[in-house]
Amino acid sequence: MRGLLLHPADVPVLVVFEDTSDRLWEDSLRAWGSLTPQVIDPLTEAHAEDVRLVVLTRRSAADVVAAYPKGLETTTIDSSDEGLAAERLTVHVTIHLLKAHAGNKHLLHAAVLGDAKSGQAVGLVAASGTGKTTAASVLGASFAYLSDETAVVTIDDLSIMPYPKPLSVIEEENAPKVQYDPAQRGLKVAAPDSTYTLSHLVILDRDKTGQAPVSWERLPLDEALFTIVLQSSGVQQMPQGLAELAGLLNRVGGAIKLTYSEITETLPFFRDLLTGQLDIPQLAPDFDYLRAPEPATGGTSGEKLYQRAAGTEGLAIGDSFLLTTSGRLSRISIIGWDIWSFLETPRRADDIYEAMVELYGEIARLDFDTVLRAMVDGQMLKVIRQPDSPAETPRPDNRT
């Protein structure tokens, strides 16, 4: 039995090859070449310490987990279909990376390219299947290539942790994606000891009609967040995840929306952007941030109380008000924001209503109740019961 020890973004991942063919082994060794994998042959139990495991096997997952040291993060891949196994390996290694860094790094679904001279890097944000790998493959021949779909960004200084994983290329419809080492495809893979800092975030907007000229615009913070939240991982594990993302956007001057038809036509844009020659004003608006406090424990029979739903976070950016619920970002009305922000502690509906009347003047109670109910249905607020009054404890009889 043999294995490959990888360190994607400094996360030790041991890939174990159980009963696999020489072809899958050699293809994997070649595809992961840019991560300089360490070959371990023969593989012993001592190697499976302080690592995350990906096991390519024909055994059941339960049998595999039972066979390896307990407490290790272990995933399994059925190796009977070699092409599919190679594709799944890239996914599994990426998942291990995301889990390891969730909550302590910015994790964006983005390709990353850099300028070797200045050390500046740009993240290309887009949903799956909308052109990131193609963009990285084309532009990576002219710029330093750091990743084609996963940006790992250190929160303190915005330094990039490179992840030059294999490029997953569709060569046949309804067939597994073929895995290629980016260096073998002509990309300028960044040197392992090089340092790059995230300086720009670009949201890709490919026009499929083929008619749109290259154009760009700086997006307002609230609009950019709707894309960035969807293309981020680990935000909910951060103490102030939504505020951290908004702060990241402000630190790079705001996100840029890039509209284009063919990625080759964007080369001058990226060259000017990374060398500081693009004249585009930065946006870094102030914002107010709130999050839900620790939820109160309710009773079973008391009066209804309303509180902020656990895990919800809110941003007020000028006259735009945003809330996250279960990782989903929503835009709410000003009265919705005032209701949510008022609930620092659980309150009765009548108390909330009186506070809103004091802010706005007379409000139809039916309209208020409709807003309150919609916020509960949208998981922005939670209803609990007034805590039960503790039963009186009998006083001890001290008579003699």
Side-chain angles (χ1 to χ4, degrees):
M1 192 162 56
R2 51 195 172 179
L4 293 179
L5 181 59
L6 306 171
H7 289 87
D10 290 343
V11 177
V13 179
L14 179 59
V15 183
V16 180
F17 292 76
E18 288 188 354
D19 304 322
T20 55
S21 70
D22 287 340
R23 177 184 174 186
L24 180 56
W25 165 263
E26 291 167 0
D27 286 350
S28 300
L29 188 59
R30 183 167 48 251
W32 289 91
S34 288
L35 265 77
T36 59
Q38 177 185 347
V39 175
I40 302 175
D41 188 7
L43 185 67
T44 66
E45 186 173 313
H47 294 109
E49 295 181 1
D50 300 322
V51 296
R52 292 169 175 264
L53 287 178
V54 180
V55 183
L56 292 149
T57 182
R58 299 192 182 191
R59 296 192 289 165
S60 69
D63 287 345
V64 170
V65 171
Y68 288 88
K70 293 182 179 179
L72 294 179
E73 286 276 353
T74 303
T75 61
T76 62
I77 300 173
D78 183 354
S79 60
S80 56
D81 184 328
E82 295 180 355
L84 185 58
E87 180 182 18
R88 296 304 300 168
L89 176 57
T90 301
V91 174
H92 280 233
V93 172
T94 301
I95 290 173
H96 278 297
L97 178 158
L98 294 175
K99 285 184 176 180
H101 286 307
N104 55 60
K105 298 285 190 299
H106 289 299
L107 302 171
L108 304 177
H109 196 204
V112 187
L113 302 165
D115 176 65
K117 186 175 181 180
S118 67
Q120 293 193 31
V122 56
L124 281 57
V125 182
S128 295
T130 58
K132 284 191 311 300
T133 295
T134 300
S137 299
V138 172
L139 299 172
S142 300
F143 303 103
Y145 167 80
L146 291 93
S147 180
D148 75 324
E149 69 167 19
T150 306
V152 183
V153 186
T154 302
I155 294 174
D156 291 341
D157 60 5
L158 301 189
S159 59
I160 298 290
M161 303 184 75
Y163 178 39
K165 72 168 191 60
L167 299 173
S168 300
V169 180
I170 298 174
E171 294 193 342
E172 293 183 30
E173 192 174 352
N174 301 321
K177 294 178 181 178
V178 181
Q179 309 303 300
Y180 288 103
D181 175 25
Q184 292 184 336
R185 301 281 286 190
L187 276 65
K188 296 181 178 178
V189 177
D193 59 348
S194 57
T195 301
Y196 289 87
T197 301
L198 185 69
S199 303
H200 310 280
L201 278 173
V202 172
I203 296 173
L204 299 180
D205 178 33
R206 184 172 177 239
D207 179 74
K208 294 182 180 180
T209 68
Q211 304 299 314
V214 176
S215 62
W216 55 89
E217 61 175 321
R218 188 78 74 175
L219 293 180
L221 177 58
D222 56 342
E223 188 176 337
L225 279 168
F226 276 93
T227 295
I228 299 298
V229 167
L230 286 175
Q231 304 305 326
S232 299
S233 299
V235 178
Q236 291 177 282
Q237 284 96 316
M238 289 182 174
Q240 298 183 354
L242 186 59
E244 291 284 4
L245 274 184
L248 170 65
L249 284 165
N250 276 355
R251 291 169 72 183
V252 299
I256 301 171
K257 179 182 176 182
L258 175 66
T259 301
Y260 64 98
S261 296
E262 297 296 333
I263 195 65
T264 53
E265 299 172 351
T266 68
L267 188 59
F269 164 82
F270 283 106
R271 185 179 293 117
D272 290 346
L273 182 68
L274 286 170
T275 56
Q277 299 181 51
L278 191 68
D279 184 19
I280 180 169
Q282 296 194 346
L283 290 178
D286 293 332
F287 57 83
D288 293 320
Y289 170 80
L290 293 173
R291 65 173 292 113
E294 287 296 319
T297 302
T300 58
S301 58
E303 189 174 7
K304 280 184 178 181
L305 299 177
Y306 292 82
Q307 66 178 3
R308 298 177 195 168
T312 53
E313 299 179 87
L315 282 183
I317 310 167
D319 58 359
S320 181
F321 306 97
L322 309 178
L323 283 185
T324 55
T325 55
S326 302
R328 184 182 69 252
L329 190 64
S330 302
R331 193 185 300 275
I332 62 171
S333 65
I334 186 171
I335 190 171
W337 173 263
D338 286 331
I339 290 172
W340 187 82
S341 58
F342 173 70
L343 292 174
E344 295 181 357
T345 58
R347 306 295 289 268
R348 300 180 311 136
D350 288 347
D351 296 333
I352 305 170
Y353 177 70
E354 290 175 6
M356 294 305 106
V357 168
E358 187 174 340
L359 273 176
Y360 293 98
E362 193 61 37
I363 301 173
R365 183 60 190 249
L366 180 60
D367 293 341
F368 168 80
D369 288 340
T370 299
V371 172
L372 203 62
R373 186 165 52 251
M375 294 184 74
V376 172
D377 292 343
Q379 300 180 337
M380 302 170 191
L381 302 179
K382 183 178 180 180
V383 179
I384 62 173
R385 292 284 180 178
Q386 183 96 26
D388 300 325
S389 298
E392 289 191 10
T393 304
R395 295 182 179 181
D397 189 347
N398 294 323
R399 292 177 297 176
T400 59

